[in-house]
Amino acid sequence: MTTLDQSPPLLEVKSVSKEFGGIRAVDDVSAEIFPGELVGLIGPNGAGKTTLFNLISGFAAPSAGTIVWKGADVSRLDAAGRARLGLVRTFQNARVFPGLTVRENLALGAHRFQAKPIHPEGRRWPLRRAEAHAAGNNVAEALARLGYENVAHAAAGVLSYGQAKRLGVAIAVMCQPSLLLLDEPAAGLNTDEVETLRQDLSIMTVSGITIVLVEHHMGLVMTACGRVIVLDAGRMIAEGPPEQIANDPAVIGAYLGA
Ligand code: ATP
């Protein structure tokens, strides 16, 4: 399936289905994601991409099938439990705390390492001194990498749409994911912001984060991803390198042709 390396898959999706009433949003999908990959997950509206992300990340339970993470069945583990194992997702709409500063939002991203649950307002820091120091360093590093030092103490709510979306991804990176599921990170971004996202994706993969990218921005998917999986009406209709997918008659008929 991949020539990247001989490592076992990080993630195995095994014959997974999800039904909503009479609708099969995800229909018997099987896939493997290997360490170091950047995989695109594409398909028309309603194809089941977001539902599949929900099943993988634990925000929804499959009607059938199993989700295997690093060899262990995590189908019954909730989203927080999976995030603690390094399986992290973002949402299409940036999930930042608008009333907290940019710096505080980033610090919240490290919450999976905290001994105690975080205060709902995010104002209490039950970190031990050494952990707090390490988290502070990581936050400073993240701010520098984003170029957001000058807005570190501004409320996240004043960021532009593109900046807030980027912050949402950075918060997820603060969780130190092994696998990051990105849900339409390019949606609503201008050309320059998409280029910044492309660089961010490259930095993330170089730093060891495996990525699955749900995206309608085909220019980004076809140039950034090493492999593309295509869903249509809940079923996987194609899988392969971008150039193969771009010329696949079934994919052109279901999605790319439109
Ligand atoms: P888009 O590109 O528009 O985001 P998608 O590929 O992510 O689409 P999904 O959002 O996963 O598609 O939806 C797949 C199907 O499942 C659609 O028919 C949708 O209406 C249905 N669906 C998704 N979530 C629910 C739900 N909670 N209850 C009922 N039906 C749902």
Side-chain angles (χ1 to χ4, degrees):
M1 179 160 311
T2 180
T3 54
L4 266 185
D5 55 36
Q6 300 304 311
S7 305
L10 261 185
L11 175 75
E12 295 164 81
V13 175
K14 293 187 168 181
S15 303
V16 162
S17 297
K18 180 67 178 179
E19 291 181 20
F20 295 111
I23 298 171
R24 276 211 150 188
V26 172
D27 189 358
D28 195 22
V29 168
S30 294
E32 294 177 327
I33 305 295
F34 291 86
E37 285 197 292
L38 202 177
V39 177
L41 177 60
I42 66 170
N45 294 122
K49 305 178 299 291
T50 298
T51 303
L52 185 57
F53 261 20
N54 287 339
L55 299 175
I56 292 171
S57 55
F59 284 87
S63 310
T66 51
I67 304 293
V68 176
W69 174 248
K70 295 181 179 175
D73 184 348
V74 293
S75 307
R76 291 172 182 274
L77 196 60
D78 65 12
R82 292 186 209 188
R84 276 192 289 275
L85 296 179
L87 177 47
V88 175
R89 72 163 293 179
T90 67
F91 290 84
Q92 198 175 332
N93 298 316
R95 291 203 169 177
V96 302
F97 291 90
L100 298 184
T101 68
V102 171
R103 195 176 201 292
E104 287 168 336
N105 268 278
L106 285 167
L108 280 176
H111 74 279
R112 80 177 170 105
F113 299 110
Q114 292 191 317
K116 295 176 191 168
I118 211 149
H119 188 274
E121 296 300 318
R123 294 282 178 192
R124 196 155 53 93
W125 303 107
L127 288 171
R128 291 195 301 274
R129 184 180 286 262
E131 289 170 328
H133 184 69
N137 284 344
N138 293 341
V139 169
E141 207 174 284
L143 282 167
R145 184 170 292 158
L146 294 167
Y148 284 5
E149 294 110 314
N150 59 340
V151 289
H153 299 289
V158 307
L159 295 180
S160 70
Y161 177 80
Q163 284 177 317
K165 265 198 105 145
R166 193 164 176 235
L167 177 61
V169 174
I171 292 168
V173 171
M174 293 298 292
C175 297
Q176 299 188 8
S178 300
L179 175 63
L180 184 56
L181 308 171
L182 294 175
D183 197 354
E184 299 198 33
L189 300 189
N190 64 34
T191 310
D192 288 345
E193 289 167 339
V194 172
E195 276 318 302
T196 301
L197 170 62
R198 185 195 303 281
Q199 288 163 23
D200 288 345
L201 290 172
S202 170
I203 291 168
M204 286 188 269
T205 48
V206 166
S207 67
I209 302 174
T210 302
I211 296 173
V212 180
L213 177 69
V214 163
E215 199 36 82
H216 286 290
H217 192 302
M218 282 308 104
L220 180 65
V221 170
M222 293 302 180
T223 53
C225 298
R227 184 160 67 97
V228 179
I229 293 171
V230 190
L231 292 184
D232 182 34
R235 297 194 71 93
M236 192 196 288
I237 61 165
E239 176 193 12
E243 57 278 11
Q244 179 185 314
I245 293 300
N247 294 301
D248 186 319
V251 179
I252 293 168
Y255 182 49
L256 294 181

